Amino acid sequence: VVDMTNFYTQYKSIEPYLQRKTPKEPGQNEYFQSVEDRKKLDGLYECVLCACCSTSCPSYWWHPDKYLGPAVLMQAYRWIVDSRDEYTDERLDFISEDMKLDDCQNIGMCTVTCPKGLNPQQSLQTLIAMVKDLRLRRATEEAL
């Protein structure tokens, strides 16, 4: 039996659910999104959290207590790019702390080992770029 306690604790830490700052309008039952925005979630929501990608990741072997690993980070990305979620910057702030994201070495074993054929490496590369953009935006705002 595999002890997945650390993995699921890390998964829970990304708050994997829709978060909104604006309440629903009276009578509104759903948050709609465009077909284009919905397509951004393809290849992300299909993850079954088997953790094959995380267990094949050398960065996760070396720092499982600090680095979130490809599976959890891909799920964080899933919520960050969801057009209905309004906590993008807060989510990026969380994953940019410590070594939660920064330890990714872009080796790519995560994508090779995914039994569903998903691409966690691409999600991580995009997340790294998004965090970099957020830091640049904040530095620019502070300079003004």
Side-chain angles (χ1 to χ4, degrees), residues 102-117:
D102 293 340
D103 203 39
C104 177
Q105 303 299 311
N106 284 306
I107 295 168
M109 288 307 297
C110 52
T111 298
V112 172
T113 59
C114 178
K116 300 278 286 181

Side-chain angles (χ1 to χ4, degrees), residues 33-134:
Q33 62 186 164
S34 69
V35 172
E36 296 81 22
D37 285 340
R38 172 57 190 79
K39 284 186 179 186
K40 292 177 185 175
L41 304 179
D42 289 345
L44 303 172
Y45 74 88
E46 297 93 341
C47 177
V48 294
L49 299 174
C50 68
C52 286
C53 59
S54 293
T55 58
S56 70
C57 174
S59 294
Y60 197 68
W61 302 339
W62 301 323
H63 304 110
D65 55 329
K66 297 175 185 163
Y67 178 58
L68 293 179
V72 172
L73 288 168
M74 186 169 78
Q75 290 309 298
Y77 177 67
R78 178 258 178 269
W79 293 103
I80 288 168
V81 297
D82 192 319
S83 61
R84 301 165 298 171
D85 191 271
E86 296 177 338
Y87 279 76
T88 300
D89 286 354
E90 292 85 351
R91 292 180 187 276
L92 287 170
D93 282 335
F94 176 75
I95 63 166
S96 68
E97 296 171 352
D98 307 319
M99 290 174 46
K100 290 181 177 110
L101 170 65
D102 293 340
D103 203 39
C104 177
Q105 303 299 311
N106 284 306
I107 295 168
M109 288 307 297
C110 52
T111 298
V112 172
T113 59
C114 178
K116 300 278 286 181
L118 306 179
N119 193 346
Q121 184 182 22
Q122 181 179 355
S123 299
L124 271 64
Q125 290 172 343
T126 306
L127 269 178
I128 290 167
M130 292 174 84
V131 166
K132 184 178 177 182
D133 289 345
L134 177 67

